[in-house]
Amino acid sequence: MTDQPQETEGDVPVKPTSASRTTLSHIMTGNDTNLLGTVHGGVIMKLVDDAAGAVAGRHSGGPAVTASMDEMVFLEPVRVGDLVHVKAQVNWTGRSSMEVGVRVMAERWNESTPAQQVGSAYLVFAAVDEDGKPRRVPQVAPETERDRRRYQEAQIRRTHRLARRRAIKELREQRAAEGIDD
């Protein structure tokens, strides 16, 4: 695996999906539990953000900050003693933003049964410079059919995020023009 762009597209560097893909593993302990005795969703969300942040920083070659988290889904509870694997990769890139897809897997620490998927999420990161201003990121080059599908699905999620943001802004402007203060 290399941190250097493999090629360029015009003046924009390009990196393959595999260049920044990573897995973070953590064993869940009693300190991670909620009132129901299972692992707190916030603990899993932090692991997701940590893994996604590592991938975004690797791909962009520097600091990247979480801009949004979309579609965090918990499929199964995670228990004390589970070994959790958080797998993350860049699905899509824009000028300074990246969508990172994350899959959360869990297995019993003392059993040889296969890990099962217990959650997933999509996060958007913005690459920033030392002044906190957006900076350009290398474009991601999907390598497999699965990567190409993820890239296309990420474009759909981006379109929906932008449309939702635009609709909310228009509604707020309309309400302000009507003198309605929320």
Side-chain angles (χ1 to χ4, degrees):
M1 183 162 42
T2 177
D3 287 337
Q4 298 302 313
Q6 298 289 336
E7 51 190 90
T8 59
E9 188 173 291
D11 65 341
V12 181
V14 176
K15 281 187 177 179
T17 307
S18 62
S20 55
R21 188 178 289 142
T22 195
T23 300
L24 173 87
S25 296
H26 189 81
I27 192 158
M28 299 291 105
T29 68
N31 292 333
D32 301 318
T33 60
N34 59 26
L35 296 174
L36 299 175
T38 56
V39 173
H40 196 288
V43 170
I44 301 299
M45 290 173 75
K46 182 179 183 327
L47 294 174
V48 164
D49 192 41
D50 287 347
V55 166
R58 260 187 191 175
H59 183 83
S60 68
V65 295
T66 310
S68 70
M69 178 182 270
D70 289 352
E71 300 180 37
M72 181 72 211
V73 177
F74 298 100
L75 302 169
E76 297 287 335
V78 177
R79 302 170 293 163
V80 170
D82 281 354
L83 181 57
V84 173
H85 308 286
V86 184
K87 300 171 180 268
Q89 75 171 48
V90 172
N91 290 335
W92 174 89
T93 50
R95 182 169 167 33
S96 61
S97 63
M98 300 158 275
E99 184 196 88
V100 178
V102 180
R103 182 182 310 170
V104 183
M105 309 293 289
E107 61 182 306
R108 294 306 293 168
W109 69 273
N110 60 348
E111 297 175 7
S112 59
T113 56
Q116 69 171 7
Q117 186 171 351
V118 295
S120 65
Y122 300 100
L123 296 87
V124 177
F125 279 79
V128 295
D129 63 18
E130 54 279 344
D131 297 321
K133 303 291 183 206
R135 64 182 175 78
R136 191 157 194 120
V137 298
Q139 295 302 291
V140 68
E143 298 172 281
T144 66
E145 280 307 314
R146 177 180 275 180
D147 292 342
R148 283 185 273 285
R149 175 187 52 80
R150 288 177 176 164
Y151 185 92
Q152 291 171 327
E153 290 172 357
Q155 289 177 306
I156 293 167
R157 282 186 292 275
R158 180 177 187 273
T159 299
H160 287 220
R161 275 191 299 275
L162 294 175
R164 183 177 61 234
R165 184 180 305 149
R166 190 170 41 255
I168 290 170
K169 181 180 177 188
E170 289 170 1
L171 177 64
R172 288 180 179 173
E173 289 171 353
Q174 176 188 349
R175 292 177 63 84
E178 293 170 358
I180 302 171
D181 187 25
D182 291 335

